[in-house]
Amino acid sequence: MVKKKLLVSAKKGKAIAGAFLLGILLASPMAHADKTKKSGSNNISKVMANDLTDSDRIFIDLREAAKKNDVAKTQQLAASLTNYPYDDYVAYFRIKPQLFDSAGGARADSSADSQVNAFLTQYQGSALADRMRNDWLLVLGKRKDWANFDAQYAKFVLDDDTQVKCYALQSRLAQGENPAKVGLDARAVLIDPRYFGQACQELVPALVGFGGMSASEAKAIGRAANEMGFDTMSRRLGGDDPIADIVKAAKTDPAKAYKDFAQVASRYSKENQAVAWGVIGQFLGKKLDSNAADAYRMQQELGYNELLSAETQEWKVRAGLRAKDWSLVKSAIEGMNPAVRNRDPAWVYWYARALKADGQDAKARENYELISDQFNFYGQLAREELGRPNHAPPRTKVSEPEIEAMTNRKGFIRAERLYAMNLRFEGNREWNWELRNMSDKQLLAAAEYAKRINLYDRVVNTADRTKQEHDFSLRYPTPYRDELSPIARQIDLNLAWAYGLIRQESRFIMNAASSVGASGLMQVMPNTAKYVAKKIGMTSYTNDQLSNTNTNLTLGSNYLNMVLMDLDGSWVLASAAYNAGPGRSKQWREKLTTPTEGAIFAETIPFNETRTYVKNVLANSTYYTTVIQGQTPSLKQRLGVISPKAANSSDLP
């Protein structure tokens, strides 16, 4: 089973990997700083459930009730938390359920206006005030109270909510702005139906009514929702779709849909033929069916690229890559919605490759240069195409006073205490808010501070943000090295690859747990752990030992080594197998008709999570090799070439 997004359950009450400073329990921030100073290095304490106060437990219960929008319970719990240090969170958790119904929808009839305004005034400039403003904007948008909406929207710092953006576009329409201009801006927002909510479902038909969007464009947005299984949303967005049955057939059995539509395509308009072939191509592509490229070629002849969903546009490129049809790759990327094309460096890299295949070397180099300063998977590949090594940039050092200054940052102090209560979501909000507007050196000082208090996920997150000055020992940290190195050495497992995988799996959060049961630094599944323990002779193993650092690293490393040997030493296949299972990795390889370069194999992995996972693990391992060994390996060489091969028998889980 594919592992899903990491989460840390507050209910378990376990210690977080990055425990908090003892000093933060003291009354003042300066006492916190003094405690750090006296110890010489940050004094760490792991908080277990029995270290929490009664008020802490009530606070955690309040947070859970607020998540469910349980008004009565939040009022009751909040009333018992007088003088609690986090009065803003108590107030927020009390007010927020009054703004939303039990299903999470904004309540236009909410009577909490005065409470919200008082909160925004009292806690102005804080992370939580921005969160409250986000919630309030959803209520104001639903009310169509555009005067107050616009006033609050101008103060919304993060501006990262798709529904709020759709309400902002509705407001512009309502105030008479040119519908064509609003429609143009809407195209950059209406990309992923998963985040549309009610606001975007109202926006699309409104744009059609005002003349800012064509009926065909609205149907295309609705079709994107249909492709993802949101049938009701699809009809609300675009009305009845002439090819709705074809979309349904393509999702169910794309090979059959391909054959059947070929028999009846002439009955449809040119536009509907084009979009139907595109949808069929997408779902064939996700099955790694060689006919995907043919379906897209038929779509390409007909045109209407702008009416293809983001998923269909992206899989058009992947189908071309899989077929080694560089002409199709080039035309697919050129026909992308700019908002889709610009959100992923993959399309810059593959466009450069297509230009190179077309003999346009100078233009190819121009495109490689666009992403050559990025440290991600495609930035590394672009540098190699330009003949440059993937070494780590020079290290920028920060001084002790610069690091010490971070100990007094209110957001960090608050975040540490929230982490101590296992409230990671809230802790991350406070930590990340504090990072806003920091210089590169300040970010590095904050990352070093996080390292000293063992908050390694914050080390990575913070160091990842620097633009010009870097410290890759922080961006790619190596905690638990004393435990992991001998394990890797004993089984001849590449240490840099193992670290690259752990960085992606858990960000070094020891008690990280996935929704499907994987746990620990290497996110090991219980059944996998039992299998590996038996294979390596760990006879007394029980699953409660997975929380032990050494046991987790031992089992995870051995399993990684097992899948590597089972998959002919390919890091690409083994990384995919670690995430999605060896069976799937083998099935994807079997679908190949000719030897295929590893980068193309990685880009055409059907599962979104696994595709991203493999690219990140391989990119991580490059820099870990630099950090650990001082070497600059070739990512292209590590990706290698994947050859078709029949599945060998294996009992690996």
Side-chain angles (χ1 to χ4, degrees):
M1 187 176 290
V2 179
K3 287 177 226 170
K4 298 182 180 177
K5 193 173 182 180
L6 288 176
L7 57 89
V8 180
S9 171
K11 293 179 181 178
K12 291 185 178 179
K14 294 182 180 178
I16 60 170
F20 69 114
L21 292 173
L22 287 175
I24 65 172
L25 296 176
L26 302 179
S28 74
M30 284 309 297
H32 170 191
D34 290 343
K35 187 74 175 179
T36 304
K37 218 168 187 178
K38 289 175 185 175
S39 64
S41 63
N42 291 337
N43 197 1
I44 304 300
S45 171
K46 289 186 177 181
V47 176
M48 303 301 287
N50 57 8
D51 293 312
L52 300 176
T53 66
D54 289 341
S55 293
D56 290 337
R57 292 189 178 89
I58 294 172
F59 179 71
I60 292 169
D61 288 343
L62 172 63
R63 182 243 205 183
E64 293 304 305
K67 286 171 64 177
K68 299 174 183 176
N69 295 320
D70 186 333
V71 175
K73 190 169 184 179
T74 52
Q75 297 294 316
Q76 174 191 358
L77 292 169
S80 66
L81 283 174
T82 55
N83 300 319
Y84 191 71
Y86 292 88
D87 60 321
D88 53 346
Y89 275 93
V90 172
Y92 174 76
F93 290 146
R94 178 177 53 78
I95 298 169
K96 180 255 185 184
Q98 301 176 57
L99 308 181
F100 300 93
D101 59 33
S102 59
R107 292 181 52 186
D109 63 348
S110 171
S111 59
D113 300 42
S114 60
Q115 296 178 61
V116 171
N117 286 321
F119 184 97
L120 293 174
T121 299
Q122 182 174 357
Y123 301 109
Q124 182 179 359
S126 69
L128 203 52
D130 205 53
R131 175 68 251 182
M132 177 66 85
R133 180 166 283 112
N134 188 162
D135 296 339
W136 188 230
L137 283 166
L138 294 174
V139 172
L140 294 172
K142 187 164 185 178
R143 287 180 182 172
K144 306 297 184 283
D145 181 353
W146 301 128
N148 283 315
F149 178 93
D150 291 345
Q152 292 298 332
Y153 188 54
K155 302 174 185 177
F156 185 25
V157 175
L158 292 185
D159 193 15
D160 57 354
D161 188 312
T162 299
Q163 284 204 74
V164 170
K165 291 177 188 291
C166 283
Y167 276 135
L169 291 163
Q170 285 191 47
S171 176
R172 290 165 57 186
L173 274 181
Q175 295 176 67
E177 188 171 334
N178 184 342
K181 175 64 169 64
V182 178
L184 183 64
D185 291 344
R187 288 169 181 80
V189 174
L190 298 168
I191 300 298
D192 193 334
R194 291 175 298 176
Y195 307 112
F196 282 3
Q198 180 179 338
C200 301
Q201 292 179 62
E202 293 174 349
L203 172 66
V204 172
L207 279 168
V208 174
F210 278 97
M213 179 177 287
S214 70
S216 291
E217 289 174 309
K219 289 189 188 304
I221 296 169
R223 192 175 304 118
N226 191 3
E227 290 170 14
M228 292 186 175
F230 304 127
D231 297 349
T232 302
M233 181 192 297
S234 175
R235 289 188 291 273
R236 288 174 179 165
L237 289 163
D240 292 333
D241 185 359
I243 69 160
D245 289 341
I246 298 167
V247 175
K248 182 178 179 180
K251 290 192 291 185
T252 303
D253 187 344
K256 186 176 185 299
Y258 173 81
K259 293 177 183 177
D260 290 348
F261 189 67
Q263 303 299 315
V264 300
S266 60
R267 301 177 190 173
Y268 292 81
S269 69
K270 184 178 178 181
E271 174 186 315
N272 288 330
Q273 286 183 55
V275 294
W277 281 124
V279 172
I280 292 169
Q282 177 201 150
F283 288 99
L284 284 171
K286 290 177 176 177
K287 294 288 186 181
L288 304 180
D289 190 310
S290 59
N291 284 324
D294 287 334
Y296 276 121
R297 291 184 190 110
M298 286 185 274
Q299 176 274 316
Q300 184 67 26
E301 288 181 11
L302 293 161
Y304 300 96
N305 289 304
E306 71 279 4
L307 299 182
L308 303 180
S309 69
E311 278 279 284
T312 300
Q313 290 180 7
E314 292 179 339
W315 274 99
K316 186 176 180 180
V317 181
R318 295 184 184 115
L321 290 171
R322 196 86 174 185
K324 301 179 176 62
D325 184 341
W326 291 105
S327 176
L328 182 60
V329 171
K330 180 173 177 291
S331 61
I333 296 173
E334 288 174 343
M336 277 182 163
N337 178 336
V340 176
R341 183 174 177 177
N342 296 333
R343 69 179 180 175
D344 191 337
W347 314 130
V348 178
Y349 174 78
W350 292 120
Y351 188 59
R353 287 284 302 274
L355 289 169
K356 185 176 180 180
D358 194 39
Q360 301 183 58
D361 290 359
K363 287 188 176 180
R365 289 187 65 87
E366 289 176 11
N367 278 270
Y368 290 137
E369 289 286 2
L370 292 175
I371 57 173
S372 64
D373 62 343
Q374 298 180 19
F375 300 114
N376 53 43
F377 184 81
Y378 285 111
Q380 291 184 31
L381 289 177
R383 280 195 296 281
E384 289 197 38
E385 294 288 347
L386 293 167
R388 301 171 191 164
N390 279 311
H391 57 71
R395 180 185 180 190
T396 296
K397 296 183 179 180
V398 290
S399 66
E400 284 298 323
E402 288 172 314
I403 300 167
E404 181 69 20
M406 296 298 145
T407 67
N408 293 322
R409 290 269 189 166
K410 180 181 178 181
F412 293 161
I413 296 170
R414 286 165 60 86
E416 291 162 22
R417 180 57 188 158
L418 290 164
Y419 289 138
M421 289 188 282
N422 234 350
L423 303 181
R424 184 160 291 278
F425 179 84
E426 288 78 10
N428 288 350
R429 175 194 290 137
E430 294 290 341
W431 187 280
N432 293 340
W433 186 262
E434 195 69 40
L435 300 179
R436 292 176 312 113
N437 305 319
M438 280 191 176
S439 67
D440 281 355
K441 287 203 76 175
Q442 287 176 312
L443 288 169
L444 293 176
E448 178 61 36
Y449 171 63
K451 179 181 177 182
R452 294 184 181 188
I453 59 174
N454 289 353
L455 282 170
Y456 282 101
D457 65 311
R458 294 301 93 196
V459 176
V460 172
N461 172 277
T462 305
D464 255 344
R465 295 168 181 252
T466 59
K467 304 298 183 184
Q468 302 296 329
E469 299 181 277
H470 309 286
D471 183 347
F472 269 37
S473 69
L474 294 172
R475 192 174 286 209
Y476 298 92
T478 56
Y480 311 105
R481 192 164 176 176
D482 289 345
E483 294 92 337
L484 182 58
S485 291
I487 296 169
R489 187 165 51 248
Q490 183 178 12
I491 59 177
D492 197 25
L493 178 68
N494 186 283
L495 186 62
W497 181 37
Y499 265 115
L501 183 138
I502 296 170
R503 185 184 190 269
Q504 184 62 24
E505 282 285 355
S506 66
R507 282 290 196 270
F508 306 101
I509 302 171
M510 182 59 219
N511 74 330
S514 81
S515 59
V516 294
S519 63
L521 291 171
M522 298 193 74
Q523 287 293 278
V524 184
M525 294 288 288
N527 287 342
T528 301
K530 289 180 180 178
Y531 171 91
V532 176
K534 183 177 179 180
K535 286 288 185 181
I536 65 176
M538 194 181 289
T539 56
S540 61
Y541 172 77
T542 56
N543 276 336
D544 58 0
Q545 295 175 43
L546 266 180
S547 60
N548 176 273
T549 302
N550 193 69
T551 301
N552 196 281
L553 292 173
T554 298
L555 296 174
S557 297
N558 273 276
Y559 182 64
L560 182 59
N561 197 46
M562 288 175 186
V563 294
L564 180 66
M565 292 187 288
D566 190 48
L567 291 162
D568 307 319
S570 167
W571 283 18
V572 174
L573 292 172
S575 297
Y578 195 92
N579 179 263
R584 289 194 178 97
S585 194
K586 291 173 185 177
Q587 290 167 14
W588 298 334
R589 178 178 61 179
E590 289 168 41
K591 291 284 188 177
L592 295 172
T593 56
T594 60
T596 299
E597 63 176 276
I600 291 177
F601 184 92
E603 182 55 54
T604 57
I605 289 172
F607 293 171
N608 291 343
E609 179 187 326
T610 306
R611 182 170 59 252
T612 301
Y613 177 93
V614 169
K615 290 189 285 188
N616 286 344
V617 168
L618 270 291
N620 291 346
S621 70
T622 299
Y623 290 122
Y624 269 115
T625 300
T626 299
V627 169
I628 295 170
Q629 300 172 351
Q631 300 174 355
T632 54
S634 165
L635 177 57
K636 290 188 72 172
Q637 288 180 5
R638 284 188 167 173
L639 288 165
V641 174
I642 312 296
S643 297
K645 184 176 180 180
N648 57 306
S649 60
S650 170
D651 62 347
L652 283 170

